[in-house]
Amino acid sequence: QVQLVESGGVLVQPGGSLRLSCAASVSLFGIGTMGWYRQAPGKERELVASITIGGRKDYADSVKGRFTISRDNALNTVYLQMNSLKPEDTAVYYCNCRTVRGDYWGKGTLVTVSS
């Protein structure tokens, strides 16, 4: 069983920056691909960014060049650095851990981008 707890979601102005954190209850060494998803009101959940065990990173086209995902295996934490935030980035952001035993999800953290 993997428990994930997201933090860092707040109200931020357009153009601002924010860093989300996802703390895992187990070691991230070799556990699987970690990802950040988001779900805006009235929309389906979508993949924002992912990072594999080997460190390969993938991003949604809408966030390329603005968001950066990273993982600190020693701290069992995954981060999402978000820069140049736009109102359309407003959503609940979820942390995901994909293992051979299945997917695990956090409860999400709300990011609101508004002036």
Side-chain angles (χ1 to χ4, degrees):
Q1 190 76 7
V2 179
Q3 294 181 329
L4 304 171
V5 179
E6 304 94 336
S7 62
V10 293
L11 170 64
V12 62
Q13 291 187 343
S17 297
L18 202 58
R19 188 177 80 161
L20 304 182
S21 300
C22 170
S25 61
V26 299
S27 172
L28 294 183
F29 281 106
I31 195 171
T33 295
M34 301 297 298
W36 284 97
Y37 289 71
R38 68 185 180 187
Q39 187 166 20
K43 295 187 177 182
E44 295 186 352
R45 191 173 297 189
E46 62 174 355
L47 175 65
V48 175
S50 63
I51 182 168
T52 66
I53 295 173
R56 189 190 78 192
K57 303 176 183 180
D58 290 301
Y59 298 94
D61 288 342
S62 59
V63 306
K64 282 182 182 177
R66 300 189 298 123
F67 290 11
T68 302
I69 189 172
S70 60
R71 62 193 289 168
D72 188 330
N73 290 339
L75 295 179
N76 301 338
T77 302
V78 178
Y79 303 98
L80 184 67
Q81 178 66 42
M82 305 186 293
N83 299 326
S84 301
L85 283 162
K86 304 175 181 180
E88 51 263 43
D89 294 318
T90 295
V92 177
Y93 284 72
Y94 297 91
C95 183
N96 170 268
C97 179
R98 177 155 295 177
T99 76
V100 294
R101 296 186 178 182
D103 281 356
Y104 297 91
W105 294 90
K107 294 184 178 180
T109 185
L110 176 62
V111 173
T112 303
V113 184
S114 175
S115 56

